[in-house]
Amino acid sequence: MKSLLRVFVCCCFVLAAGSTAAAERILRYHGDITIDPDASMVVEETIEVRAEGERIRRGIYRDFPTDYTDRFGNHYVVDFSVISVRRDGVEEAWHTERRSNGVRLYIGSADQMLAPGDYVYQIRYQTDRQLGFFEDHDELYWNVTGNGWDFAIDEASARVRLPDGVRSDEITVEAYTGPQGARGQHYDASVDGALASFRSTRALGPREGLTIVVGFPKGLVAEPSALQRIGYLLVDNRGLLLALLALVGSGVYLLLAWRRVGRDPEAGVIFAHYEPPEGFSPASARYISRMGYDAGTFSAAVVNLAVKGHLRISREGKKYRLDHQHSTAELAPGEAALKDELFSSSLQLLLENENHAIVSAARSAHRKALRRDYLNRYFRKNTMALLPSLLGSVLLFGLILLLDAVTPAVVGVYALNVLTHFLFLYLLKAPTARGRQLLDRLEGFKLYLQVAERDDLNVRYPPEKTPELFERYLPFAIALGVEQAWADQFTAVFAALSTQPGGGYQPAWYQGDFDARHLGSFSRDVGSSFTSAISSAASPPGSSSGGGGGGSSGGGGGGGGGGGW
């Protein structure tokens, strides 16, 4: 009974050993890599396999990666050109198939099956752009076997032949073994002249590989120039090429459009004027000079309403309140609509976020009135000139999406394209001939508002400096951005009034802290702080924020894997 048991166990071991010996595997994997002076490479791989008709039935296939992504997210494509394919020293049928990140080389014929046995395949191919060029050395970082084989590899080896002219002591060698990302050191390496040799010291399991690193002095092979690198980048990244085409095309077109319709008429001679142009309000003066509507336009209009007695501005801490007042003073274009909207629901309005809908409606009504009266008469925005460029850029971006060629660089170029269009949205605005004359008048009035000395202005009979004059032109000073300079001209006037009985001057249209000795600060506060309060009140809540040498197995070029078919 015991003897029968021993026989049964021995048979099991023999069967198991036979099964293991007969399993499909790679008996030997060797790579011969020749680096040419032009930095291209010729590689000959010798792959000896054992076929049992399971997965290796017609031959083997070899996957070769050609498409990579660099650290900036750009595509990087290397060449892979098959020179010859042999099986047991004889030319063998082969064909290639495009894969998602490279090429699959099928070796064998679809209508010819292999008998079980050992076969030696030799694949000879050319590739380029596989070398790394660093500050103090150049390097080949190469995955000899690839880590994608489903077969075990009994023995892996490689030889790298460098161009002549390098000494052994100038060459550094290193290698890694194991699965993807491993840093196993089961290898031997040696250098003999310009030849570096590598050999694994243990069998490699399925999905394990041998990766080598060979460093050599700079200048031994030709390094791509900056122009060549740019060429590679554009060829590899069609999306980037199209994005740059959109950017350059947009820039050229928009520059020509600006030269055609966006150049301002030549300014005339500026003379000081101590009165604003007749028929124009502070808001309209700012709207025309800025060729658009902003918070300062609204502020100038509100302060002008206050000075005319149509409302009162009160400051409570850091907040402003507007109180409705009755007045018979004439309203400028747009001011009636502005006043009606401000007090549409109450005779009192606090400038805070809760009332943003009321303030936004008032701004909209005021903007529409100014646009109706002055746009295209005193200036043109010429926004239609942007349309061809904008449409072309959108169409090219659609093509990039269809090509699945969007990369971080493409996004960056298109962001620059968007900024270019925004820049020309501003630059294409231009005053008309009538607008140019008005702007010259406004510049003359601004000169009067900001220059204190009469002699500096060459004005014969300037108006007397009185509190009424200060108030009358303060909205214009705010509109033209010179409220501080205008107030400085009245410091002495109000200081003298403060010594008289009654406590001096206090604006009737403003309730809050007022000190004639700091008139400039008061004017600046009304101009800037009040504008900020209006801007904040026109923004809905939540629209802005309130918060403040390492390699590894499987790395490098080459690699891939393979299998049987």
Side-chain angles (χ1 to χ4, degrees):
M1 189 69 171
K2 290 183 178 180
S3 61
L4 289 174
L5 183 60
R6 290 194 190 96
V7 172
F8 176 75
V9 172
C10 289
C11 288
C12 288
F13 274 114
V14 170
L15 289 173
S19 175
T20 301
E24 291 181 329
R25 62 197 305 103
I26 296 175
L27 304 174
R28 181 170 64 93
Y29 199 118
H30 178 74
D32 264 315
I33 302 109
T34 301
I35 300 177
D36 292 326
D38 64 357
S40 65
M41 290 168 35
V42 175
V43 182
E44 182 171 303
E45 295 182 352
T46 302
I47 308 171
E48 184 177 352
V49 303
R50 176 160 294 161
E52 294 293 339
E54 296 175 3
R55 284 175 291 181
I56 305 178
R57 293 176 295 170
R58 300 174 180 83
I60 64 172
Y61 64 81
R62 174 76 166 94
D63 289 335
F64 190 88
T66 58
D67 298 4
Y68 300 88
T69 301
D70 65 17
R71 64 183 183 276
F72 302 111
N74 297 311
H75 297 302
Y76 186 97
V77 182
V78 302
D79 181 46
F80 174 71
S81 303
V82 178
I83 299 174
S84 65
V85 177
R86 296 176 179 271
R87 174 167 63 87
D88 294 335
V90 179
E91 293 285 343
E92 177 74 327
W94 61 273
H95 67 278
T96 58
E97 180 181 281
R98 183 66 195 174
R99 311 296 287 182
S100 61
N101 70 327
V103 176
R104 174 169 288 183
L105 171 65
Y106 286 94
I107 304 174
S109 177
D111 55 5
Q112 181 179 350
M113 307 298 287
L114 295 178
D118 295 349
Y119 297 92
V120 178
Y121 291 94
Q122 290 175 299
I123 308 168
R124 186 177 177 83
Y125 57 86
Q126 187 174 32
T127 184
D128 63 7
R129 301 180 64 193
Q130 299 285 358
L131 302 180
F133 298 93
F134 304 99
E135 186 176 345
D136 58 351
H137 74 288
D138 297 336
E139 181 181 284
L140 171 66
Y141 182 23
W142 184 255
N143 189 346
V144 177
T145 60
N147 290 58
W149 290 95
D150 289 327
F151 307 129
I153 302 175
D154 292 347
E155 180 185 334
S157 59
R159 288 186 303 185
V160 178
R161 185 177 299 278
L162 296 169
D164 294 335
V166 60
R167 303 191 310 269
S168 299
D169 60 354
E170 295 178 310
I171 301 173
T172 61
V173 293
E174 195 172 356
Y176 306 95
T177 57
Q180 185 78 30
R183 297 172 58 84
Q185 298 291 295
H186 299 94
Y187 74 93
D188 284 333
S190 62
V191 178
D192 183 10
L195 187 67
S197 301
F198 300 84
R199 180 182 65 86
S200 64
T201 56
R202 72 164 177 85
L204 304 174
R207 303 283 170 175
E208 292 188 335
L210 169 66
T211 295
I212 63 174
V213 182
V214 179
F216 46 91
K218 296 193 70 63
L220 189 63
V221 299
E223 181 174 352
S225 65
L227 189 61
Q228 285 177 310
R229 292 176 189 270
I230 292 173
Y232 291 146
L233 178 66
L234 295 179
V235 170
D236 294 346
N237 296 269
R238 294 174 296 177
L240 179 58
L241 181 61
L242 291 173
L244 288 171
L245 179 63
L247 176 62
V248 174
S250 296
V252 171
Y253 168 80
L254 291 173
L255 183 61
L256 293 175
W258 173 80
R259 289 177 62 88
R260 187 177 68 255
V261 299
R263 300 178 74 173
D264 293 358
E266 187 175 351
V269 180
I270 306 301
F271 298 100
H273 298 280
Y274 54 82
E275 289 183 348
E278 186 177 356
F280 293 91
S281 67
S284 64
R286 184 177 180 91
Y287 179 72
I288 294 169
S289 62
R290 295 295 180 98
M291 290 186 284
Y293 193 93
D294 62 2
T297 309
F298 190 45
S299 298
V302 172
V303 174
N304 199 43
L305 284 173
V307 170
K308 289 180 177 181
H310 288 278
L311 60 85
R312 176 180 292 174
I313 302 172
S314 300
R315 181 167 186 174
E316 301 173 350
K318 292 186 177 181
K319 294 184 178 181
Y320 286 90
R321 188 184 75 244
L322 305 182
D323 296 294
H324 183 277
Q325 300 286 310
H326 292 286
S327 174
T328 59
E330 183 180 359
L331 292 172
E335 290 182 345
L338 172 61
K339 182 179 178 182
D340 290 343
E341 289 292 340
L342 286 174
F343 303 109
S344 59
S345 58
S346 173
L347 296 180
Q348 191 176 85
L349 177 66
L350 190 64
L351 295 180
E352 59 182 2
N353 279 343
E354 291 182 3
N355 294 318
H356 72 86
I358 298 174
V359 176
S360 295
R363 289 181 61 168
S364 179
H366 191 220
R367 178 170 51 247
K368 288 179 180 178
L370 294 176
R371 179 186 178 93
R372 181 186 63 243
D373 293 339
Y374 303 112
L375 181 62
N376 295 326
R377 295 182 61 194
Y378 292 92
F379 70 93
R380 294 185 178 91
K381 291 189 174 182
N382 298 311
T383 52
M384 293 302 293
L386 290 169
L387 191 59
S389 172
L390 196 60
L391 183 60
S393 296
V394 170
L395 289 175
L396 282 176
F397 190 72
L399 180 58
I400 293 171
L401 290 175
L402 287 176
L403 295 173
D404 193 23
V406 178
T407 64
V410 169
V411 175
V413 171
Y414 257 89
L416 189 58
N417 196 344
V418 171
L419 291 176
T420 300
H421 281 83
F422 273 112
L423 174 63
F424 277 92
L425 184 64
Y426 169 76
L427 293 177
L428 285 172
K429 298 177 182 178
T432 62
R434 178 188 297 180
R436 181 69 264 174
Q437 292 177 0
L438 176 63
L439 291 177
D440 292 344
R441 292 268 310 177
L442 287 173
E443 281 297 318
F445 183 55
K446 180 180 178 180
L447 191 63
Y448 162 68
L449 294 175
Q450 65 184 353
V451 177
E453 297 299 329
R454 182 182 68 179
D455 293 341
D456 294 338
L457 295 175
N458 196 25
V459 175
R460 284 192 171 185
Y461 304 107
E464 184 182 358
K465 289 184 172 61
T466 64
E468 292 76 20
L469 181 68
F470 169 74
E471 292 186 8
R472 187 190 318 152
Y473 292 158
L474 178 60
F476 280 98
I478 293 173
L480 300 176
V482 292
E483 62 270 22
Q484 174 76 51
W486 177 241
D488 288 343
Q489 298 189 48
F490 290 82
T491 302
V493 174
F494 289 114
L497 289 175
S498 65
T499 63
Q500 297 179 5
Y505 168 74
Q506 172 69 42
W509 49 270
Y510 180 84
Q511 183 174 345
D513 294 335
F514 177 82
D515 188 343
R517 293 171 301 177
H518 302 95
L519 187 59
S521 299
F522 165 75
S523 299
R524 185 176 60 251
D525 185 60
V526 171
S528 60
S529 300
F530 182 59
T531 299
S532 299
I534 288 176
S535 298
S536 176
S539 303
S543 63
S544 60
S545 173
S552 63
S553 177
W565 72 295

